mmCIF file of all heavy atoms in Angstrom:
data_model
loop_
_atom_site.group_PDB
_atom_site.id
_atom_site.type_symbol
_atom_site.label_atom_id
_atom_site.label_comp_id
_atom_site.label_asym_id
_atom_site.label_seq_id
_atom_site.Cartn_x
_atom_site.Cartn_y
_atom_site.Cartn_z
ATOM 1 N N VAL N 13 -5.028 32.163 6.177
ATOM 2 C CA VAL N 13 -6.275 32.007 6.910
ATOM 3 C C VAL N 13 -5.955 31.590 8.342
ATOM 4 O O VAL N 13 -5.210 30.640 8.568
ATOM 5 C CB VAL N 13 -7.185 30.954 6.234
ATOM 6 C CG1 VAL N 13 -8.444 30.717 7.034
ATOM 7 C CG2 VAL N 13 -7.503 31.373 4.811
ATOM 8 N N LYS N 14 -6.546 32.304 9.283
ATOM 9 C CA LYS N 14 -6.329 31.985 10.705
ATOM 10 C C LYS N 14 -7.210 30.794 11.074
ATOM 11 O O LYS N 14 -8.405 30.774 10.793
ATOM 12 C CB LYS N 14 -6.683 33.200 11.572
ATOM 13 C CG LYS N 14 -6.413 32.972 13.039
ATOM 14 C CD LYS N 14 -6.811 34.232 13.830
ATOM 15 C CE LYS N 14 -6.475 34.129 15.280
ATOM 16 N NZ LYS N 14 -7.186 33.137 16.028
ATOM 17 N N LYS N 15 -6.596 29.798 11.698
ATOM 18 C CA LYS N 15 -7.335 28.611 12.122
ATOM 19 C C LYS N 15 -8.026 28.868 13.443
ATOM 20 O O LYS N 15 -7.457 29.492 14.330
ATOM 21 C CB LYS N 15 -6.395 27.410 12.260
ATOM 22 C CG LYS N 15 -5.840 26.920 10.951
ATOM 23 C CD LYS N 15 -4.952 25.708 11.170
ATOM 24 C CE LYS N 15 -4.440 25.200 9.848
ATOM 25 N NZ LYS N 15 -3.591 24.013 10.003
ATOM 26 N N ASN N 16 -9.227 28.353 13.561
ATOM 27 C CA ASN N 16 -9.958 28.415 14.822
ATOM 28 C C ASN N 16 -9.441 27.303 15.721
ATOM 29 O O ASN N 16 -9.481 26.124 15.332
ATOM 30 C CB ASN N 16 -11.456 28.187 14.567
ATOM 31 C CG ASN N 16 -12.282 29.373 14.953
ATOM 32 O OD1 ASN N 16 -11.780 30.302 15.572
ATOM 33 N ND2 ASN N 16 -13.539 29.322 14.590
ATOM 34 N N ARG N 17 -8.941 27.657 16.902
ATOM 35 C CA ARG N 17 -8.419 26.676 17.847
ATOM 36 C C ARG N 17 -9.196 26.762 19.151
ATOM 37 O O ARG N 17 -9.930 27.717 19.399
ATOM 38 C CB ARG N 17 -6.942 26.941 18.134
ATOM 39 C CG ARG N 17 -6.043 26.670 16.971
ATOM 40 C CD ARG N 17 -4.564 26.841 17.335
ATOM 41 N NE ARG N 17 -3.729 26.426 16.240
ATOM 42 C CZ ARG N 17 -3.368 27.202 15.226
ATOM 43 N NH1 ARG N 17 -3.761 28.468 15.181
ATOM 44 N NH2 ARG N 17 -2.611 26.720 14.258
ATOM 45 N N CYS N 18 -8.977 25.789 20.012
ATOM 46 C CA CYS N 18 -9.554 25.812 21.350
ATOM 47 C C CYS N 18 -9.092 27.076 22.065
ATOM 48 O O CYS N 18 -7.944 27.515 21.888
ATOM 49 C CB CYS N 18 -9.127 24.573 22.137
ATOM 50 S SG CYS N 18 -9.749 23.025 21.464
ATOM 51 N N ASP N 19 -9.966 27.643 22.872
ATOM 52 C CA ASP N 19 -9.672 28.918 23.541
ATOM 53 C C ASP N 19 -8.457 28.862 24.461
ATOM 54 O O ASP N 19 -7.811 29.876 24.680
ATOM 55 C CB ASP N 19 -10.889 29.384 24.340
ATOM 56 C CG ASP N 19 -12.061 29.778 23.462
ATOM 57 O OD1 ASP N 19 -11.860 30.053 22.263
ATOM 58 O OD2 ASP N 19 -13.211 29.801 23.980
ATOM 59 N N TRP N 20 -8.133 27.699 25.007
ATOM 60 C CA TRP N 20 -7.040 27.594 25.969
ATOM 61 C C TRP N 20 -5.659 27.674 25.337
ATOM 62 O O TRP N 20 -4.663 27.865 26.029
ATOM 63 C CB TRP N 20 -7.141 26.293 26.788
ATOM 64 C CG TRP N 20 -7.137 25.022 25.980
ATOM 65 C CD1 TRP N 20 -8.227 24.305 25.581
ATOM 66 C CD2 TRP N 20 -5.998 24.302 25.496
ATOM 67 N NE1 TRP N 20 -7.832 23.197 24.855
ATOM 68 C CE2 TRP N 20 -6.465 23.168 24.798
ATOM 69 C CE3 TRP N 20 -4.621 24.512 25.582
ATOM 70 C CZ2 TRP N 20 -5.626 22.242 24.190
ATOM 71 C CZ3 TRP N 20 -3.771 23.593 24.971
ATOM 72 C CH2 TRP N 20 -4.267 22.467 24.283
ATOM 73 N N VAL N 21 -5.567 27.552 24.030
ATOM 74 C CA VAL N 21 -4.266 27.422 23.377
ATOM 75 C C VAL N 21 -3.410 28.685 23.495
ATOM 76 O O VAL N 21 -2.226 28.596 23.799
ATOM 77 C CB VAL N 21 -4.442 27.031 21.891
ATOM 78 C CG1 VAL N 21 -3.079 26.954 21.192
ATOM 79 C CG2 VAL N 21 -5.171 25.704 21.778
ATOM 80 N N GLY N 22 -3.980 29.839 23.250
ATOM 81 C CA GLY N 22 -3.208 31.077 23.311
ATOM 82 C C GLY N 22 -2.296 31.244 22.110
ATOM 83 O O GLY N 22 -2.513 30.647 21.052
ATOM 84 N N ASN N 23 -1.214 32.036 22.279
ATOM 85 C CA ASN N 23 -0.317 32.376 21.170
ATOM 86 C C ASN N 23 1.058 31.731 21.240
ATOM 87 O O ASN N 23 1.893 31.962 20.364
ATOM 88 C CB ASN N 23 -0.132 33.898 21.104
ATOM 89 C CG ASN N 23 -1.444 34.597 20.816
ATOM 90 O OD1 ASN N 23 -2.228 34.139 20.000
ATOM 91 N ND2 ASN N 23 -1.693 35.695 21.512
ATOM 92 N N ASP N 24 1.321 30.953 22.275
ATOM 93 C CA ASP N 24 2.632 30.324 22.418
ATOM 94 C C ASP N 24 2.814 29.267 21.319
ATOM 95 O O ASP N 24 2.006 28.333 21.209
ATOM 96 C CB ASP N 24 2.717 29.669 23.801
ATOM 97 C CG ASP N 24 4.070 29.026 24.089
ATOM 98 O OD1 ASP N 24 4.686 28.456 23.172
ATOM 99 O OD2 ASP N 24 4.498 29.075 25.252
ATOM 100 N N PRO N 25 3.857 29.395 20.495
ATOM 101 C CA PRO N 25 4.075 28.430 19.399
ATOM 102 C C PRO N 25 4.159 26.978 19.877
ATOM 103 O O PRO N 25 3.710 26.072 19.165
ATOM 104 C CB PRO N 25 5.399 28.874 18.778
ATOM 105 C CG PRO N 25 5.548 30.311 19.161
ATOM 106 C CD PRO N 25 4.870 30.451 20.497
ATOM 107 N N LEU N 26 4.727 26.755 21.056
ATOM 108 C CA LEU N 26 4.832 25.402 21.596
ATOM 109 C C LEU N 26 3.442 24.828 21.904
ATOM 110 O O LEU N 26 3.158 23.666 21.578
ATOM 111 C CB LEU N 26 5.703 25.421 22.865
ATOM 112 C CG LEU N 26 6.211 24.099 23.384
ATOM 113 C CD1 LEU N 26 7.035 23.345 22.342
ATOM 114 C CD2 LEU N 26 7.059 24.331 24.636
ATOM 115 N N MET N 27 2.591 25.657 22.488
ATOM 116 C CA MET N 27 1.218 25.216 22.801
ATOM 117 C C MET N 27 0.414 25.005 21.522
ATOM 118 O O MET N 27 -0.372 24.053 21.425
ATOM 119 C CB MET N 27 0.516 26.236 23.702
ATOM 120 C CG MET N 27 1.033 26.239 25.131
ATOM 121 S SD MET N 27 0.676 24.721 26.044
ATOM 122 C CE MET N 27 -1.015 25.031 26.508
ATOM 123 N N ILE N 28 0.611 25.882 20.536
ATOM 124 C CA ILE N 28 -0.091 25.740 19.266
ATOM 125 C C ILE N 28 0.303 24.420 18.592
ATOM 126 O O ILE N 28 -0.547 23.651 18.144
ATOM 127 C CB ILE N 28 0.192 26.947 18.338
ATOM 128 C CG1 ILE N 28 -0.479 28.201 18.919
ATOM 129 C CG2 ILE N 28 -0.286 26.672 16.913
ATOM 130 C CD1 ILE N 28 -0.081 29.508 18.235
ATOM 131 N N SER N 29 1.585 24.141 18.561
ATOM 132 C CA SER N 29 2.078 22.903 17.963
ATOM 133 C C SER N 29 1.522 21.682 18.714
ATOM 134 O O SER N 29 1.070 20.711 18.079
ATOM 135 C CB SER N 29 3.599 22.878 17.976
ATOM 136 O OG SER N 29 4.078 21.666 17.478
ATOM 137 N N TYR N 30 1.569 21.722 20.038
ATOM 138 C CA TYR N 30 1.028 20.613 20.843
ATOM 139 C C TYR N 30 -0.456 20.419 20.555
ATOM 140 O O TYR N 30 -0.902 19.289 20.308
ATOM 141 C CB TYR N 30 1.281 20.902 22.339
ATOM 142 C CG TYR N 30 0.606 19.919 23.247
ATOM 143 C CD1 TYR N 30 1.058 18.604 23.320
ATOM 144 C CD2 TYR N 30 -0.484 20.294 24.039
ATOM 145 C CE1 TYR N 30 0.422 17.682 24.140
ATOM 146 C CE2 TYR N 30 -1.103 19.382 24.870
ATOM 147 C CZ TYR N 30 -0.650 18.077 24.916
ATOM 148 O OH TYR N 30 -1.278 17.171 25.735
ATOM 149 N N HIS N 31 -1.208 21.485 20.562
ATOM 150 C CA HIS N 31 -2.653 21.418 20.290
ATOM 151 C C HIS N 31 -2.904 20.853 18.891
ATOM 152 O O HIS N 31 -3.729 19.961 18.715
ATOM 153 C CB HIS N 31 -3.283 22.803 20.424
ATOM 154 C CG HIS N 31 -4.698 22.866 19.935
ATOM 155 N ND1 HIS N 31 -5.000 23.151 18.620
ATOM 156 C CD2 HIS N 31 -5.874 22.665 20.574
ATOM 157 C CE1 HIS N 31 -6.321 23.112 18.462
ATOM 158 N NE2 HIS N 31 -6.861 22.831 19.644
ATOM 159 N N ASP N 32 -2.220 21.366 17.901
ATOM 160 C CA ASP N 32 -2.496 21.021 16.511
ATOM 161 C C ASP N 32 -2.038 19.618 16.133
ATOM 162 O O ASP N 32 -2.600 19.021 15.222
ATOM 163 C CB ASP N 32 -1.809 22.021 15.563
ATOM 164 C CG ASP N 32 -2.424 23.413 15.607
ATOM 165 O OD1 ASP N 32 -3.379 23.632 16.391
ATOM 166 O OD2 ASP N 32 -1.935 24.281 14.848
ATOM 167 N N ARG N 33 -1.038 19.100 16.828
ATOM 168 C CA ARG N 33 -0.474 17.811 16.433
ATOM 169 C C ARG N 33 -0.749 16.648 17.395
ATOM 170 O O ARG N 33 -0.779 15.493 16.968
ATOM 171 C CB ARG N 33 1.030 17.936 16.264
ATOM 172 C CG ARG N 33 1.416 18.867 15.154
ATOM 173 C CD ARG N 33 2.900 18.942 14.991
ATOM 174 N NE ARG N 33 3.214 19.912 13.939
ATOM 175 C CZ ARG N 33 4.368 20.512 13.832
ATOM 176 N NH1 ARG N 33 5.332 20.246 14.668
ATOM 177 N NH2 ARG N 33 4.570 21.374 12.867
ATOM 178 N N GLU N 34 -0.901 16.951 18.687
ATOM 179 C CA GLU N 34 -0.949 15.871 19.661
ATOM 180 C C GLU N 34 -2.233 15.791 20.487
ATOM 181 O O GLU N 34 -2.781 14.708 20.664
ATOM 182 C CB GLU N 34 0.215 15.990 20.656
ATOM 183 C CG GLU N 34 1.566 15.717 20.073
ATOM 184 C CD GLU N 34 2.624 15.754 21.146
ATOM 185 O OE1 GLU N 34 2.767 14.773 21.896
ATOM 186 O OE2 GLU N 34 3.303 16.794 21.249
ATOM 187 N N TRP N 35 -2.637 16.924 21.053
ATOM 188 C CA TRP N 35 -3.705 16.903 22.049
ATOM 189 C C TRP N 35 -4.983 16.320 21.483
ATOM 190 O O TRP N 35 -5.489 16.751 20.454
ATOM 191 C CB TRP N 35 -3.952 18.316 22.577
ATOM 192 C CG TRP N 35 -4.784 18.355 23.819
ATOM 193 C CD1 TRP N 35 -4.406 17.990 25.078
ATOM 194 C CD2 TRP N 35 -6.140 18.813 23.953
ATOM 195 N NE1 TRP N 35 -5.424 18.181 25.976
ATOM 196 C CE2 TRP N 35 -6.504 18.691 25.306
ATOM 197 C CE3 TRP N 35 -7.073 19.309 23.044
ATOM 198 C CZ2 TRP N 35 -7.763 19.048 25.793
ATOM 199 C CZ3 TRP N 35 -8.323 19.675 23.515
ATOM 200 C CH2 TRP N 35 -8.660 19.531 24.870
ATOM 201 N N GLY N 36 -5.471 15.291 22.134
ATOM 202 C CA GLY N 36 -6.720 14.673 21.735
ATOM 203 C C GLY N 36 -6.598 13.588 20.694
ATOM 204 O O GLY N 36 -7.596 12.949 20.338
ATOM 205 N N VAL N 37 -5.403 13.334 20.201
ATOM 206 C CA VAL N 37 -5.201 12.266 19.231
ATOM 207 C C VAL N 37 -5.067 10.945 19.993
ATOM 208 O O VAL N 37 -4.234 10.845 20.906
ATOM 209 C CB VAL N 37 -3.933 12.511 18.371
ATOM 210 C CG1 VAL N 37 -3.684 11.343 17.430
ATOM 211 C CG2 VAL N 37 -4.056 13.822 17.616
ATOM 212 N N PRO N 38 -5.878 9.929 19.675
ATOM 213 C CA PRO N 38 -5.804 8.665 20.401
ATOM 214 C C PRO N 38 -4.400 8.047 20.375
ATOM 215 O O PRO N 38 -3.793 7.895 19.310
ATOM 216 C CB PRO N 38 -6.823 7.777 19.675
ATOM 217 C CG PRO N 38 -7.824 8.756 19.139
ATOM 218 C CD PRO N 38 -6.989 9.941 18.717
ATOM 219 N N VAL N 39 -3.914 7.735 21.562
ATOM 220 C CA VAL N 39 -2.587 7.122 21.753
ATOM 221 C C VAL N 39 -2.779 5.699 22.266
ATOM 222 O O VAL N 39 -3.531 5.473 23.215
ATOM 223 C CB VAL N 39 -1.753 7.945 22.773
ATOM 224 C CG1 VAL N 39 -0.437 7.225 23.104
ATOM 225 C CG2 VAL N 39 -1.488 9.347 22.252
ATOM 226 N N HIS N 40 -2.080 4.753 21.626
ATOM 227 C CA HIS N 40 -2.181 3.363 22.064
ATOM 228 C C HIS N 40 -0.823 2.743 22.360
ATOM 229 O O HIS N 40 -0.759 1.610 22.846
ATOM 230 C CB HIS N 40 -2.934 2.540 21.019
ATOM 231 C CG HIS N 40 -4.384 2.910 20.926
ATOM 232 N ND1 HIS N 40 -5.322 2.504 21.858
ATOM 233 C CD2 HIS N 40 -5.047 3.698 20.038
ATOM 234 C CE1 HIS N 40 -6.504 2.996 21.538
ATOM 235 N NE2 HIS N 40 -6.364 3.725 20.435
ATOM 236 N N ALA N 41 0.247 3.450 22.083
ATOM 237 C CA ALA N 41 1.590 2.932 22.365
ATOM 238 C C ALA N 41 1.870 3.064 23.860
ATOM 239 O O ALA N 41 1.744 4.158 24.420
ATOM 240 C CB ALA N 41 2.628 3.687 21.553
ATOM 241 N N ASP N 42 2.239 1.971 24.497
ATOM 242 C CA ASP N 42 2.469 1.978 25.938
ATOM 243 C C ASP N 42 3.475 3.029 26.387
ATOM 244 O O ASP N 42 3.262 3.702 27.400
ATOM 245 C CB ASP N 42 2.934 0.591 26.413
ATOM 246 C CG ASP N 42 1.778 -0.365 26.659
ATOM 247 O OD1 ASP N 42 0.629 -0.048 26.260
ATOM 248 O OD2 ASP N 42 2.036 -1.439 27.247
ATOM 249 N N GLY N 43 4.567 3.182 25.657
ATOM 250 C CA GLY N 43 5.586 4.155 26.036
ATOM 251 C C GLY N 43 5.053 5.579 26.051
ATOM 252 O O GLY N 43 5.348 6.354 26.962
ATOM 253 N N GLU N 44 4.252 5.924 25.044
ATOM 254 C CA GLU N 44 3.661 7.266 24.990
ATOM 255 C C GLU N 44 2.635 7.468 26.102
ATOM 256 O O GLU N 44 2.549 8.541 26.695
ATOM 257 C CB GLU N 44 3.014 7.515 23.634
ATOM 258 C CG GLU N 44 3.994 7.695 22.498
ATOM 259 C CD GLU N 44 3.284 7.893 21.168
ATOM 260 O OE1 GLU N 44 2.581 8.919 21.038
ATOM 261 O OE2 GLU N 44 3.417 7.023 20.296
ATOM 262 N N LEU N 45 1.855 6.442 26.359
ATOM 263 C CA LEU N 45 0.865 6.526 27.436
ATOM 264 C C LEU N 45 1.567 6.752 28.782
ATOM 265 O O LEU N 45 1.132 7.581 29.580
ATOM 266 C CB LEU N 45 -0.003 5.263 27.487
ATOM 267 C CG LEU N 45 -0.978 5.083 26.322
ATOM 268 C CD1 LEU N 45 -1.534 3.665 26.295
ATOM 269 C CD2 LEU N 45 -2.102 6.110 26.402
ATOM 270 N N PHE N 46 2.648 6.032 28.992
ATOM 271 C CA PHE N 46 3.407 6.192 30.237
ATOM 272 C C PHE N 46 3.987 7.597 30.333
ATOM 273 O O PHE N 46 3.909 8.253 31.373
ATOM 274 C CB PHE N 46 4.519 5.132 30.332
ATOM 275 C CG PHE N 46 5.323 5.219 31.589
ATOM 276 C CD1 PHE N 46 4.737 4.966 32.826
ATOM 277 C CD2 PHE N 46 6.668 5.549 31.556
ATOM 278 C CE1 PHE N 46 5.479 5.047 33.999
ATOM 279 C CE2 PHE N 46 7.415 5.618 32.731
ATOM 280 C CZ PHE N 46 6.821 5.371 33.953
ATOM 281 N N GLU N 47 4.548 8.090 29.236
ATOM 282 C CA GLU N 47 5.095 9.446 29.230
ATOM 283 C C GLU N 47 4.025 10.461 29.601
ATOM 284 O O GLU N 47 4.255 11.326 30.469
ATOM 285 C CB GLU N 47 5.658 9.776 27.844
ATOM 286 C CG GLU N 47 6.148 11.218 27.721
ATOM 287 C CD GLU N 47 6.725 11.570 26.370
ATOM 288 O OE1 GLU N 47 7.047 10.668 25.561
ATOM 289 O OE2 GLU N 47 6.881 12.778 26.109
ATOM 290 N N PHE N 48 2.864 10.387 28.979
ATOM 291 C CA PHE N 48 1.800 11.354 29.279
ATOM 292 C C PHE N 48 1.339 11.246 30.730
ATOM 293 O O PHE N 48 1.074 12.252 31.383
ATOM 294 C CB PHE N 48 0.618 11.195 28.331
ATOM 295 C CG PHE N 48 0.770 12.000 27.078
ATOM 296 C CD1 PHE N 48 0.993 11.368 25.865
ATOM 297 C CD2 PHE N 48 0.678 13.379 27.091
ATOM 298 C CE1 PHE N 48 1.134 12.102 24.697
ATOM 299 C CE2 PHE N 48 0.818 14.134 25.936
ATOM 300 C CZ PHE N 48 1.045 13.495 24.729
ATOM 301 N N LEU N 49 1.247 10.030 31.251
ATOM 302 C CA LEU N 49 0.819 9.855 32.643
ATOM 303 C C LEU N 49 1.817 10.514 33.597
ATOM 304 O O LEU N 49 1.430 11.220 34.533
ATOM 305 C CB LEU N 49 0.640 8.372 32.972
ATOM 306 C CG LEU N 49 -0.060 8.070 34.285
ATOM 307 C CD1 LEU N 49 -1.505 8.580 34.274
ATOM 308 C CD2 LEU N 49 -0.051 6.572 34.543
ATOM 309 N N ILE N 50 3.095 10.337 33.317
ATOM 310 C CA ILE N 50 4.127 10.939 34.162
ATOM 311 C C ILE N 50 4.133 12.465 34.025
ATOM 312 O O ILE N 50 4.192 13.189 35.017
ATOM 313 C CB ILE N 50 5.528 10.357 33.809
ATOM 314 C CG1 ILE N 50 5.577 8.843 34.097
ATOM 315 C CG2 ILE N 50 6.641 11.105 34.574
ATOM 316 C CD1 ILE N 50 5.165 8.423 35.495
ATOM 317 N N LEU N 51 4.028 12.952 32.809
ATOM 318 C CA LEU N 51 4.041 14.394 32.591
ATOM 319 C C LEU N 51 2.807 15.069 33.193
ATOM 320 O O LEU N 51 2.906 16.167 33.739
ATOM 321 C CB LEU N 51 4.169 14.726 31.107
ATOM 322 C CG LEU N 51 5.512 14.370 30.462
ATOM 323 C CD1 LEU N 51 5.479 14.644 28.962
ATOM 324 C CD2 LEU N 51 6.669 15.090 31.133
ATOM 325 N N GLU N 52 1.662 14.429 33.102
ATOM 326 C CA GLU N 52 0.450 14.997 33.709
ATOM 327 C C GLU N 52 0.615 15.074 35.221
ATOM 328 O O GLU N 52 0.207 16.035 35.849
ATOM 329 C CB GLU N 52 -0.798 14.206 33.336
ATOM 330 C CG GLU N 52 -1.211 14.327 31.889
ATOM 331 C CD GLU N 52 -1.682 15.711 31.463
ATOM 332 O OE1 GLU N 52 -1.909 16.590 32.315
ATOM 333 O OE2 GLU N 52 -1.811 15.914 30.235
ATOM 334 N N GLY N 53 1.228 14.052 35.819
ATOM 335 C CA GLY N 53 1.491 14.093 37.263
ATOM 336 C C GLY N 53 2.497 15.157 37.629
ATOM 337 O O GLY N 53 2.367 15.840 38.641
ATOM 338 N N ALA N 54 3.493 15.351 36.778
ATOM 339 C CA ALA N 54 4.499 16.390 37.017
ATOM 340 C C ALA N 54 3.876 17.774 36.944
ATOM 341 O O ALA N 54 4.331 18.714 37.588
ATOM 342 C CB ALA N 54 5.634 16.269 35.996
ATOM 343 N N GLN N 55 2.818 17.904 36.150
ATOM 344 C CA GLN N 55 2.169 19.189 35.977
ATOM 345 C C GLN N 55 1.408 19.640 37.225
ATOM 346 O O GLN N 55 1.180 20.842 37.400
ATOM 347 C CB GLN N 55 1.195 19.146 34.800
ATOM 348 C CG GLN N 55 0.522 20.482 34.562
ATOM 349 C CD GLN N 55 -0.778 20.368 33.772
ATOM 350 O OE1 GLN N 55 -1.104 19.348 33.215
ATOM 351 N NE2 GLN N 55 -1.515 21.457 33.750
ATOM 352 N N ALA N 56 1.029 18.722 38.094
ATOM 353 C CA ALA N 56 0.204 19.074 39.273
ATOM 354 C C ALA N 56 0.717 20.349 39.932
ATOM 355 O O ALA N 56 1.873 20.442 40.322
ATOM 356 C CB ALA N 56 0.201 17.918 40.269
ATOM 357 N N GLY N 57 -0.145 21.352 39.985
ATOM 358 C CA GLY N 57 0.203 22.629 40.594
ATOM 359 C C GLY N 57 0.930 23.587 39.673
ATOM 360 O O GLY N 57 1.296 24.687 40.088
ATOM 361 N N LEU N 58 1.178 23.164 38.448
ATOM 362 C CA LEU N 58 1.920 23.977 37.478
ATOM 363 C C LEU N 58 1.118 24.114 36.187
ATOM 364 O O LEU N 58 0.057 23.512 36.047
ATOM 365 C CB LEU N 58 3.269 23.308 37.174
ATOM 366 C CG LEU N 58 4.168 23.028 38.361
ATOM 367 C CD1 LEU N 58 5.308 22.108 37.970
ATOM 368 C CD2 LEU N 58 4.699 24.328 38.937
#
């Protein structure tokens, strides 16, 4: 059965895994929050 996902995900296995396991899951660990803040900043323009 094909799962219904957010339209932005596409077919890339890496994006599918990220969407299905991480994106939108509440994070409270400081280290993970820091990682996401840095990675989101690194993404600027990319």
Side-chain angles (χ1 to χ4, degrees):
V13 176
K14 184 181 184 294
K15 292 182 178 181
N16 243 350
R17 291 184 174 87
C18 295
D19 292 340
W20 58 263
V21 178
N23 297 319
D24 183 324
L26 195 58
M27 288 294 279
I28 291 170
S29 177
Y30 172 69
H31 170 271
D32 291 1
R33 296 182 183 158
E34 291 184 79
W35 194 73
V37 176
V39 173
H40 292 283
D42 277 12
E44 288 178 64
L45 290 167
F46 181 65
E47 175 179 344
F48 272 109
L49 192 64
I50 297 307
L51 292 176
E52 291 293 349
Q55 182 201 349
L58 304 168

